[in-house]
Amino acid sequence: MFLRIIQDIALMSGIGILLALVMVIAQRWLSNYGELNININSKKDLTVTGGNSLLSSLSEKQIFIPSACGGRGTCGACKCKVIEGGGPLLPTEKPLLSKAEIEDHIRLACQVKIKSDIKIEIPESIFNIKRFHSEIEEIIDYTYDIKGITFKLLNGETIDFKAGQYIQLETQPYGKVKQSVVRAYSISSKPELKDRIQLIIRLVPEGICTTWVHNYLKVGDKVNFTGPYGDFYIRDTNADIIFVAGGSGQAPIKSMLEHLKEVGTDRKMSFFFGARTTKDLYLTEEMLAFEKHFNDFHYIPVLSHPEPDENWQGRIGFVMPYFKEAIRDPKNTEAYLCGSPGMIAGVTKSLVEEYSLDKDKIYYDSFG
Ligand SMILES: Cc1cc2nc3c(=O)[nH]c(=O)nc-3n(C[C@H](O)[C@H](O)[C@H](O)COP(=O)(O)OP(=O)(O)OC[C@H]3O[C@@H](n4cnc5c(N)ncnc54)[C@H](O)[C@@H]3O)c2cc1C
Ligand code: FES
C-alpha cells in the first residue's frame, strides 16, 4: 500500500515536470520571432531580434525615443506612429492615448512588442538624441533631500540642448537592485556649457534612481545618459514670463535664467518658488543675483508650512494668490511650470480661470 502511494506520487511529479518542460519549450519556440525589420519614415530599415519592445529595439540601434518613466507605461512620452505590424492596441496603452491619437495609429513604443516586420513614423528630431558618457565631477548638497550633480562629458563629447530640456539617466545596479533603470532629469545648467551638465535631484523615499544618486553615486563615477529630450523651453517672444516651480522643479528654471543671462533679455519675469519650510529653499543667493542682473526679474519664494521658530517674513500659503503681483497683461504673458503633477494642474487651472492666461501659452514639465 505504502509503496503504491510512493509510486503514484512519483508518477504525478513526473507528469508535472514533463508538462512544465513542454510549456517552457513551447514558450521559447512561440516567442522566438527571429530577425525582423523596422522601417522608419519609409527611409531607414533596421534588422532587430523579435520579441522585444519597440522602445528597447530602437534604443539598441542608438535611436532614443523619449521614455521619461523608463518604459513603465505611465508617462506617455514614447508615443509614436505605427503604420503596420504593431498588433492590437493593448489595455496598458489606452489610458494614455486620446481618441484622435488612436485613430491616427499612435502607440506607446514601450508597450508594442515586435512580433512581425513593423513600419513606424518618428519625428526627424529624434535622430539628434544621443547617448553620452560622463564622469561625476561634483556633488553639492543643496538641502537635506536635494543634491546638485555635475556630469563632465568624456571623450571630448559635447551636448547641444535648449534650456529647459531633460536627459534620461541610466542607473547602475546597487545593493539589492540588480537592474539598471532609466529616469528623466531636467538639465539645470545653461546650454552654453557644452562639455558638462548639472542635474538637481530630490531624494524620493525608496525610489530606485534617487536612492542610487543620493546614497551610492560619488565623484569620479562613470555614468551614461541619453538626450536631450522635451519641448519645455523658452519661446522666443517678448511676452512677460511667470515661472512656477516646487522642489527640484527649480532645475530647468535655473537653466532658463542662466541662458537668458547669457543672451540678454528685457522681458518682465517673475519666479514663484513653492516650498514647505525654509529648509526646502535653495539657490536663493543665485536667484537674488539674477534680480540684480535683469532689468525686471523678481524671485518670490512662498512657504506652505513655515515653522514658528523660522521667523519667516515672506509670503505664506499657495503660490496662486500672489500671481496678481506679476500679471499686467494676461494675453501677453507666458507661464513656465515645473514640478509635481498636482502643482501643475492647480497652477494651470488658476492661471486660466482666475487670471485669464491663454492655455496654449502655459508650458510645463510634469515630474510625475
Ligand atoms: C520630464 C521629467 C523631468 C524630471 N526632472 C526631474 C528633476 O530635474 N529632478 C528630480 O528630482 N526629478 C525629476 N523628475 C522625476 C524623476 O524622473 C523620477 O521620477 C524621480 O526622481 C523618482 O525616481 P526613482 O527611481 O527614485 O523613484 P521610483 O523608483 O521610480 O519610484 C518609487 C516610488 O516613489 C513614487 N514616486 C516617483 N516619483 C516621485 C516623486 N517625484 N515624488 C513622490 N513620489 C514619487 C513612485 O510612485 C513609487 O511609488 C523628472 C521627471 C520627468 C518626467
Ligand atoms: S516610456 Fe513612459 S509610457 Fe512608454
Side-chain angles (χ1 to χ4, degrees):
M1 178 69 181
F2 181 67
L3 192 69
R4 182 69 197 271
I5 292 172
I6 299 284
Q7 275 174 340
D8 282 353
I9 291 173
L11 186 71
M12 295 302 281
S13 310
I15 292 172
I17 291 168
L18 199 72
L19 274 175
L21 217 68
V22 169
M23 276 170 73
V24 168
I25 293 168
Q27 207 177 18
R28 288 239 171 113
W29 184 73
L30 281 173
S31 58
N32 183 4
Y33 299 97
E35 294 205 323
L36 296 170
N37 186 64
I38 305 180
N39 177 277
I40 306 175
N41 298 351
S42 302
K43 278 189 205 158
K44 199 176 168 82
D45 286 291
L46 302 174
T47 305
V48 297
T49 308
N52 298 316
S53 74
L54 176 58
L55 182 74
S56 60
S57 304
L58 289 172
S59 151
E60 271 170 33
K61 298 287 176 185
Q62 307 298 306
I63 296 174
F64 304 105
I65 305 274
S67 51
C69 71
R72 290 180 290 183
T74 55
C75 69
C78 64
K79 286 175 189 172
C80 75
K81 191 164 180 164
V82 177
I83 298 161
E84 266 173 38
L89 188 72
L90 301 172
T92 45
E93 295 176 85
K94 281 187 189 161
L96 291 170
L97 297 173
S98 67
K99 203 167 163 262
E101 284 173 329
I102 293 173
E103 279 167 11
D104 197 25
H105 306 284
I106 303 296
R107 303 286 302 268
L108 297 185
C110 68
Q111 302 298 304
V112 172
K113 267 205 173 171
I114 305 196
K115 297 180 179 176
S116 64
D117 288 347
I118 186 167
K119 216 173 159 186
I120 64 167
E121 268 177 24
I122 53 177
E124 290 294 322
S125 58
I126 297 262
F127 297 110
N128 295 331
I129 300 170
K130 295 186 196 135
R131 172 175 274 121
F132 294 91
H133 307 86
S134 73
E135 183 176 299
I136 303 300
E137 186 177 56
E138 188 183 34
I139 301 178
I140 304 172
D141 284 316
Y142 279 140
T143 71
Y144 61 96
D145 69 348
I146 293 183
K147 286 185 193 289
I149 299 130
T150 305
F151 299 69
K152 177 158 178 29
L153 300 187
L154 297 174
N155 317 321
E157 289 172 1
T158 55
I159 180 166
D160 284 317
F161 65 96
K162 289 183 186 161
Q165 286 192 296
Y166 68 93
I167 56 94
Q168 293 184 181
L169 195 60
E170 299 171 359
T171 70
Q172 287 151 15
Y174 65 90
K176 286 186 186 153
V177 180
K178 303 290 173 221
Q179 274 181 328
S180 165
V181 298
V182 171
R183 297 284 184 269
Y185 293 99
S186 307
I187 305 171
S188 58
S189 46
K190 60 186 171 187
E192 287 72 19
L193 212 59
K194 293 184 184 296
D195 60 353
R196 45 177 52 75
I197 59 162
Q198 193 212 35
L199 306 180
I200 293 178
I201 299 186
R202 188 176 71 84
L203 179 67
V204 170
E206 318 227 346
I208 297 178
C209 179
T210 56
T211 302
W212 173 67
V213 167
H214 276 252
N215 300 347
Y216 290 81
L217 204 60
K218 48 187 194 317
V219 169
D221 285 355
K222 306 278 190 293
V223 180
N224 294 340
F225 62 86
T226 57
Y229 298 94
D231 51 13
F232 184 59
Y233 55 85
I234 299 212
R235 277 27 184 200
D236 190 14
T237 69
N238 284 323
D240 294 350
I241 296 180
I242 289 194
F243 296 109
V244 186
S248 52
Q250 192 159 203
I253 313 297
K254 172 178 175 280
S255 176
M256 289 173 173
L257 289 168
E258 287 185 357
H259 169 64
L260 289 171
K261 188 177 170 193
E262 286 288 323
V263 296
T265 185
D266 280 332
R267 293 172 76 169
K268 175 178 167 58
M269 304 185 287
S270 311
F271 176 21
F272 294 88
F273 181 61
R276 274 183 71 80
T277 71
T278 52
K279 291 188 202 77
D280 300 292
L281 296 176
Y282 64 104
L283 292 173
T284 307
E285 275 176 27
E286 286 79 350
M287 292 301 145
L288 296 178
F290 284 132
E291 281 195 326
K292 280 200 183 130
H293 175 84
F294 292 114
N295 285 345
D296 198 350
F297 169 72
H298 297 282
Y299 169 62
I300 304 151
V302 182
L303 297 189
S304 60
H305 296 81
E307 307 276 355
D309 61 353
E310 287 178 324
N311 195 23
W312 174 249
Q313 304 289 323
R315 294 158 183 82
I316 295 175
F318 288 119
V319 288
M320 286 83 115
Y322 301 105
F323 293 161
K324 59 175 161 305
E325 299 171 25
I327 300 174
R328 53 180 182 183
D329 176 4
K331 296 298 164 205
N332 191 35
T333 302
E334 290 167 3
Y336 294 86
L337 326 176
C338 199
S340 70
M343 181 280 269
I344 288 176
V347 168
T348 302
K349 190 170 184 300
S350 165
L351 285 172
V352 173
E353 291 178 9
E354 292 168 51
Y355 294 99
S356 310
L357 256 72
D358 291 336
K359 205 170 179 191
D360 59 2
K361 288 187 185 153
I362 301 176
Y363 308 98
Y364 60 85
D365 248 352
S366 167
F367 282 6

